[in-house]
Amino acid sequence: MMKMKLVVVGNGMVGHKLLEELVDRPQIEVTVLCEEPRPAYDRVHLSEFFSGKTAQDLSLVAPGFFDRPGLNLRLNAKAVGIDTTAKVVRTADGASVPYDKLVLATGSYPFVPPVPGRDRPGCLVYRTIEDLEAMRQWGSKSKIGVVVGGGLLGLECAKALKDMGLATHVVEFAPRLMTVQVDDMGGKLLRRKIEALGVTVHTQKNTLEIADGAGMGVGGRHKMVFADGSALETDMIVFSAGIRPRDELARNGGLKMGERGGIVVDNACRTSDPDVYAIGECALWSGKIFGLVAPGYDMARLVARQLVGDQAGEFIGADMSTKLKLLGVDVASIGDAQGATPGSLNYLFSDEVAGHYKKLVVSADRKTLLGAVLVGEAEDYGTLLQMALNGIPLPEHPEDLILPARQGAAPKGLGVDLLPASASICSCNNVSKGDLCAAISGGAASLGALKKCTKAATSCGGCQPLVKQVLDAELKKAGVTVFNHLCEHFAHSRQELFHLVKIGNHKSFDEVLVKHGKGRGCDICKPAVASILASVNNEFVLKPRHASTQDTNDYYLANLQKDGTYSVVPRIPGGEITPEKLIVIGRVAQRFGLYTKITGGQRIDLFGARVEQLPMIWKDLIEAGFESGHAYGKALRTVKSCVGSTWCRYGVQDSVGMAIKVEERYRGMRSPHKLKMAVSGCTRECAEAQSKDVGVIATEKGWNLFVCGNGGMKPRHADLLASDIDDATLVRYIDRFFMFYIRTGDRLQRTSVWLENLEGGIDYVRKVICEDSLGIGAELEAEMQKLVDTYECEWKKAINTPETLRRFRHFVNSPEPDTNIQFVDERGQIRPMTRLEKNEETV
Amino acid sequence: MTTPPRWTYVCRRDDIVPNTGVAAKVGQAQVAVFRVVAPDGEDEAVFAIGNHDPRSGANVISRGLVGDVGGELVVASPVYKNHFCLRTGRCLEDESWSVPAFQVQVSEDGLVLVREA
Ligand code: SRM
Ligand SMILES: Cc1cc2nc3c(=O)[nH]c(=O)nc-3n(C[C@H](O)[C@H](O)[C@H](O)COP(=O)(O)OP(=O)(O)OC[C@H]3O[C@@H](n4cnc5c(N)ncnc54)[C@H](O)[C@@H]3O)c2cc1C
Ligand code: SF4
Ligand code: FES
């Protein structure tokens, strides 16, 4: 059989997709001409190069991919000419490659406006790995950086400059940012948000010239002169002013071109020569170039089918909706975002306080959604996109789709059940709802499994919430109850396990696993069971039988930091500390070269300790009377206090005294999640007790007790449990409350979430705690008293246990420290060296 | 010309608390060595994979929790909790984060040896 000779010019994202689609087709002999020094990589995630990903990490090539027979990859092989009559492609090194079919996948190049001075050193673009390497190099010797172009890519580029620590400017020709995707008001808000992040935005600036800057050298290598007479000094410039199709090959080969460039293709992606196809960003379809990867992938799939003789299907254009996080600001644009459809109507919502802007564009009859713009918050992107794509009828009050949900309102959003099976859920990977459903009924019953077998949500990730919704809805329909099993090793909830441990009087994880679980355990059930055992038996957490179940923080009794060092937090009950002890902390920090910081919990954190230093640090601290602060444990953290009646002119009780008393009572207590407390001396509430798991506020007559508050990710005001109670009642109620939560809380469930999931809510808790409706009050108090009586400082125990201490070293076979831990000076103290500073791609 | 494989003595098997890891210097590399024992005390084995966590850039894989996920023996990185297969170093969440695996042997008298890559 004669093999078909296929030549593919360009091994970018789209060219490579074509190869993947053609894999294992013995009847085709493929030659790939790749101008770059490396095969295809993920340009969409190119910016992650700056956050530590290497060229290798970004590669799109599966191991062994190009080792297949019949697939010849030529790197550094630029095609310089095609002869459509002789059917050969010429390469820069003089070779001629004959073809039967030719696919041009040459992508595009960054457009650099023809400004005098644009070739000066330090004037760069943003498209390839080499471009990024140049940016990194220039970034390291620059203080100021300018991005020309305020579009999608320009803003991504600005983030890269900002992350390199440069004073960053964005210069845009148009009156607003992201002209294509966002409207006027959205653009304004986006600008405000981006400026708040410290990036200076200049709009309506037409650059006339780039000349020598006054600074010469760092701090003003170049001077950009604008048409309005103003100027801007900078050290480096990155042009990101749009893309232009790389069509020079096709142009010289006599193929039909668009007026403003681009290789004209038909609905089959064929050029004016029937044996030549063009796909991806070099192709002009129906007058349009698609600057996104998903339409390119569609073209690649279509051409692959035709090459093997399947003529069905055609390219029908693509949806250009996008959702991105630009410099941490959510921006999304759907369909006809500018309202260009005749007769279309807008709904607008703008919240200048929160910094949200949302717009819906609907049809004249208000029945269908045509487009949308979301800035600042884009959670509803998936829902709105599906409504627009599938023509799902709008609800009676379309504005509800963008208005913030009021308390108690039914959750908005479209039930995914409304979507037809053909609805495209993941546009990056062309996965429809039907594909997802098929995979789910085929056994992909978790998000991870579903992603793996359909590839949905594995590229930009924008569709993940919707993929999850489809999964949940399908599982529910299939009658699968969503279990609260701890993990694959235990078919029990944490609450059930707590009970089983107590009843069975279990003493170790292995015992619990053999009796009630299966397999070997994992990083979810081990710490959870370890915590239960500690709450019930209160044994030293580093006893040999517990050691292997502790998370690294509990294992080293310190908090792991990003570079592999640990932080040390001695307990400072109630935040009260003597000058002598303050001096000790300072001395210890000096002696071991640690970074010190006052925490948000009224104590002092010492950072940058290597594992082998921890015991010595603690020896010094313990000698001076300090104890472990359990900052590393799911345990009581701090009891914050205000100064109270002792000093404050308004205080009505000794809040510091009470804070110390309760901190010393509950220190070291392990629980489902961390616990925080605070005591305020009067109703002014300077200790912020109503944001804590347990908050105590002094009254003229005694104390008000608040529970289940939370700061953090989802703040919640605490609920009042009891008022005007005396010291003894206060302690009794807190004992009961904590023990009740420890018994019934879920793994890693703070008290706030626990309460919200508890049937009967705060009234039920009040009955159990204050009225003893379950008759377990005395039992709960006794359990707590046992924990109080068996308390031991873990660090004191650790430094007196030689077999535990042996583990505090980096290497088992060498006393050397980990040389990967490196610090630099900042504001007079150490900080970890960043990966960029370590130049890590060589590690 | 081939140089014979070089094996580095790391520690005694009993120096590793069951179901935990230690870090060892093997040539220029940092290796995380794990001793794994089933809950019934049977089925003991020793594994060695790279100690460098590619996601955080810290040398801490040896400090992760070991266990099994879907029947495969794994360690969870202590930083962002990615799982690495103890036999192959493959990262279950994202193969591009995988770490190298090293050959390891335990001598009859309980010495753990790791082969230089
Ligand atoms: C050090 C500190 C920040 C500081 O420099 O001030 C801090 C640092 C961390 N916090 Fe925090 N939090 C610190 C006060 C707080 C506060 C303020 C407070 O306690 O008054 C809050 C909000 C209050 C609250 O918790 O309700 C807070 C809310 C969180 C949360 C969100 C919890 C939530 O339920 O919403 C996390 C994440 C988690 O626990 O899952 C977190 C997690 C963390 C972790 C453990 C993240 C991690 O895994 O590395 C950080 C480790 C610190 C370390 O290595 O020592 N941190 N964190 C503060 C230590 C206080 C202390 O003395 O112990
Ligand atoms: C920083 C950045 C972020 C992006 N973010 C997103 C995003 O979030 N979402 C999205 O959908 N898209 C995004 N894009 C766009 C996306 O990367 C492109 O749509 C996609 O890469 C187009 O694929 P392609 O194969 O057509 O072109 P390319 O990936 O550019 O590949 C073309 C290849 O052809 C080679 N070539 C050109 N001419 C020749 C020749 N004569 N001989 C041999 N080889 C040649 C080039 O060197 C190149 O390797 C982003 C792009 C960049 C630069
Ligand atoms: S809460 Fe009251 S007592 Fe405490 S400092 Fe504020 S005003 Fe003073
Ligand atoms: S839409 Fe981008 S990953 Fe699904």
Side-chain angles (χ1 to χ4, degrees), chain A residues 4-11 18-19 28-34 66 70-74 77 89 91 96-99 101-103:
Chain A
M4 177 210 280
K5 286 199 201 69
L6 172 69
V7 173
V8 181
V9 183
N11 186 228
L18 175 79
L19 301 182
I28 306 182
E29 171 94 34
V30 190
T31 303
V32 185
L33 301 178
C34 174
F66 282 112
L71 185 52
N72 313 307
L73 169 70
R74 298 209 199 156
V89 181
T91 61
S96 291
V97 189
Y99 69 81
K101 299 274 181 195
L102 173 65
V103 177

Side-chain angles (χ1 to χ4, degrees), chain A residues 559 561 567 597 599-600 603 605 674 676 692 710-711 713:
Chain A
N559 293 52
Q561 304 299 317
S567 77
K597 178 177 183 302
T599 72
R603 47 191 189 168
D605 206 342
K674 59 190 173 191
K676 299 181 177 183
K692 303 295 180 206
N710 207 159
M713 291 178 275

Side-chain angles (χ1 to χ4, degrees), chain A residues 342-359:
Chain A
S344 63
L345 299 165
N346 292 342
Y347 287 92
L348 299 177
F349 170 76
S350 148
D351 176 348
E352 298 210 324
V353 181
H356 297 166
Y357 169 73
K358 302 180 180 189
K359 175 170 92 169

